[in-house]
Amino acid sequence: MLPKLPRESLIELCRKMFLIRYFEEALIGLHNEERFKGHYHVYIGQEATGVPAISCLGVGDYLFTTHRNHGHLLARGADPRRLLAEILGRRDGYNKGKGGSFHTNVTSLGFPQTSGVVGGIIPLATGAAYAVRAQKTDRISVCLFGDGALEEGAAAESFNMASLWKLPVLYLCENNGKYGQGKAAGTARSSTMAVYPLTDLPAGYKIPAQQVDGTNAGAVHGVVSEAVKKIRQGGGPQFIEAQTVRWPGGVTNWPVVPIATDAAIAWDVTSVPEAEREWYRDSDPVLIFIRELVEKKQVSREEISEIQQGILGVVSQAVEFAFDSPYPNSETALEDVFA
Ligand SMILES: Cc1ncc(C[n+]2csc(CCOP(=O)(O)OP(=O)(O)O)c2C)c(N)n1
Ligand SMILES: [Mg+2]
């Protein structure tokens, strides 16, 4: 299902999904070539959740994200050059290279704090919702987190307060399940939660909670835009569980790219190694989206190919920019720190 948006907006969503996919594939390649060190997580497989969801927000809204933040930042319009520079610890990064992959904060885009601590942003997002309400604005706070974060006590405490105080917060839980597990509504179990379905947890706190197919951009756009509207009208918190199927390249500690994503795979998966073929055919959100754009005659396959080439160019410029950027001077180590 395509989001109910004009063609130009659909193309913009398509560009953003490709940008995330190619940015992350390039990052994995750079790590494999040992051009940078350190741990990182990628957003591959969840593009059709973050991109349409974030497109529903206003410029003044706050977003809080996790260890898998690259996709959320790019969806919100972050400059891939400065994001990559940050991940590589370079001076031209969004946080002068001091935040890195896990803590890229972009306040100008409404990301006051990113946290690699699982569940760490749930109370922060809830606090931001309290703040915007106290300031009597119509801003909302959006909390993007994985299914694993629901294990944390801070999640339960936040839901309780958000519900009691009817705070303007959207909890968007990205349930990427376990590798090899289906995503059909109601069957996707989290790998780490006894509560099942996950929506039972916020529902217990009387927060309206629903599930959506996170690989279906139109469905995500529909439920998120509706939830945002209700929150902005003073309806209190909302919870959405977006279910995706874990990308087979991301099942081990260090991601591996089984095959470089190419639009042609959307129509012919024979080039994909057999072990990963099913995922690219049935669960790859980027390929599902472009297949639908073409089927619904919003774009031609040639146009898709042009978009793809354009984005590959943007990503190689980002790589060049980031490696040209110097490391911060040691004298600046104590600048921009609180204590
Ligand atoms: C409090 C805390 N515990 C453990 C970790 C280690 N850790 C990093 S990612 C991760 C899995 C989180 O699962 P989920 O929230 O579902 O996110 P996913 O990686 O599946 O997107 C864990 C346990 C951490 N960063 N913080
Ligand atoms: Mg998860």
Side-chain angles (χ1 to χ4, degrees):
M1 187 167 114
L2 289 177
K4 291 190 180 65
L5 289 170
R7 179 176 179 273
E8 287 315 310
S9 308
L10 294 175
I11 291 176
E12 186 52 25
L13 297 186
C14 174
R15 291 177 57 81
K16 292 234 170 98
M17 286 192 208
F18 267 126
L19 177 60
I20 295 170
R21 178 62 58 91
Y22 288 145
F23 182 94
E24 300 288 41
E25 287 185 353
L27 187 66
I28 296 168
L30 295 171
H31 192 265
N32 289 346
E33 291 163 17
E34 297 187 10
R35 293 185 68 193
F36 76 97
K37 291 196 189 306
H39 204 30
Y40 64 102
H41 293 268
V42 296
Y43 195 66
I44 296 178
Q46 297 170 217
E47 295 91 340
T49 298
V51 171
I54 288 172
S55 79
C56 298
L57 307 178
V59 282
D61 293 335
Y62 285 119
L63 294 92
F64 292 82
T65 167
T66 64
H67 58 289
R68 231 174 264 291
N69 61 63
H70 310 163
H72 299 143
L73 289 159
L74 291 171
R76 183 75 165 164
D79 179 344
R81 298 174 311 161
R82 295 193 62 198
L83 176 58
L84 187 58
E86 185 58 45
I87 294 168
L88 303 186
R90 308 295 175 123
R91 211 185 292 173
D92 294 298
Y94 274 112
N95 305 114
K96 303 181 191 170
K98 295 178 188 177
S101 169
F102 287 79
H103 299 100
T104 306
N105 305 324
V106 187
T107 47
S108 58
L109 293 175
F111 290 86
Q113 173 72 59
T114 297
S115 178
V117 177
V118 170
I121 44 118
I122 304 183
L124 297 181
T126 308
Y130 183 82
V132 293
R133 223 245 327 255
Q135 290 162 348
K136 302 199 190 313
T137 68
D138 76 339
R139 291 170 154 187
I140 69 165
S141 175
V142 178
C143 188
L144 304 142
F145 54 95
D147 46 287
L150 291 176
E151 291 169 56
E152 301 296 328
E157 294 173 41
S158 302
F159 295 159
N160 187 47
M161 281 194 275
S163 182
L164 282 174
W165 295 344
K166 279 195 163 307
L167 297 180
V169 54
L170 171 62
Y171 297 110
L172 178 50
C173 174
E174 298 189 55
N175 183 2
N176 53 7
K178 266 198 250 186
Y179 179 50
Q181 206 162 49
K183 64 162 194 285
T187 63
R189 299 285 297 261
S190 162
S191 49
T192 54
M193 283 297 292
V195 173
Y196 168 71
L198 294 182
T199 44
D200 275 4
L201 189 66
Y205 291 93
K206 311 300 176 205
I207 295 177
Q210 57 184 315
Q211 294 177 319
V212 67
D213 176 351
T215 67
N216 184 330
V220 170
H221 187 268
V223 296
V224 173
S225 53
E226 211 35 52
V228 166
K229 198 159 82 187
K230 285 186 187 147
I231 297 167
R232 238 187 264 290
Q233 287 166 349
Q238 296 269 333
F239 180 101
I240 295 169
E241 175 198 349
Q243 300 175 343
T244 52
V245 181
R246 194 171 278 259
W247 174 54
V251 291
T252 49
N253 260 349
W254 296 98
V256 247
V257 179
I259 183 164
T261 302
D262 183 274
I265 299 173
W267 292 277
D268 180 6
V269 287
T270 48
S271 61
V272 182
E274 218 174 304
E276 291 90 14
R277 203 171 284 166
E278 187 183 330
W279 186 86
Y280 281 87
R281 189 191 59 219
D282 302 335
S283 304
D284 181 333
V286 179
L287 300 183
I288 291 173
F289 188 60
I290 62 171
R291 211 157 38 222
E292 208 167 1
L293 282 176
V294 171
E295 273 165 21
K296 304 264 164 66
K297 303 209 183 320
Q298 296 293 318
V299 290
S300 65
R301 281 174 68 168
E302 291 69 35
E303 284 169 307
I304 292 280
S305 187
E306 277 164 29
I307 294 171
Q308 172 181 322
Q309 292 312 318
I311 298 294
L312 281 168
V314 168
V315 171
S316 32
Q317 280 169 20
V319 172
E320 207 171 307
F321 174 91
F323 279 102
D324 279 349
S325 174
Y327 287 110
N329 290 332
S330 52
E331 300 85 74
T332 65
L334 298 180
E335 285 174 14
D336 310 307
V337 294
F338 288 113

